[in-house]
Amino acid sequence: MKTKRLIISSLLGVVFGFVCYGFAASGNQEISMILALNIILGRTLIGVAIGISRFSLKHWSIHGLIMGLIFSLPAGFGAMLAPETPEFSHTMLMISTIIMGMIYGFLIELITSVLF
């Protein structure tokens, strides 16, 4: 049962990693291969962490949000190193990276816990 949860949440992390990369690459700036791997692996790590987590929170959605927050913090601070554009300031990049990580964590936990 736990192995099934780990596999499903990890695969969902990979899927949402590619979704996140698609959103990041849709702008005018080109995404480097290192940044693409960072985005995909960061979201995959959220899925793996949700799959192996032993926390028993009362409500499953809080678990996904917390894991998304924790594992998006390094990427959020790393986003502050990106070149500043007129559309996004460094602070906006950091906040959007963390919030999107929380959303992906919530969705991974929702799909893993409710659908499977």
Side-chain angles (χ1 to χ4, degrees):
M1 185 67 109
K2 296 287 184 186
T3 305
K4 179 181 174 185
R5 177 178 169 80
L6 175 61
I7 292 170
I8 291 169
S9 64
S10 298
L11 289 174
L12 287 170
V14 171
V15 168
F16 284 122
F18 279 102
V19 169
C20 186
Y21 168 70
F23 285 137
S26 66
N28 294 334
Q29 286 189 333
E30 189 167 326
I31 303 289
S32 70
M33 182 60 78
I34 302 242
L35 182 57
L37 285 173
N38 186 16
I39 291 170
I40 294 166
L41 292 176
R43 302 312 183 206
T44 303
L45 184 60
I46 293 172
V48 170
I50 287 173
I52 64 173
S53 176
R54 303 282 289 168
F55 293 128
S56 62
L57 297 174
K58 203 169 211 164
H59 203 270
W60 55 264
S61 61
I62 295 172
H63 182 249
L65 288 171
I66 290 173
M67 296 304 260
L69 170 70
I70 291 170
F71 286 95
S72 293
L73 282 173
F77 285 111
M80 293 187 72
L81 298 174
E84 194 161 330
T85 63
E87 298 89 27
F88 286 105
S89 67
H90 288 145
T91 306
M92 187 70 161
L93 281 171
M94 179 182 129
I95 291 170
S96 63
T97 300
I98 293 170
I99 289 175
M100 289 307 296
M102 292 172 68
I103 291 170
Y104 291 130
F106 172 81
L107 291 173
I108 291 168
E109 185 67 53
L110 169 73
I111 294 169
T112 303
S113 296
V114 175
L115 295 179
F116 293 103

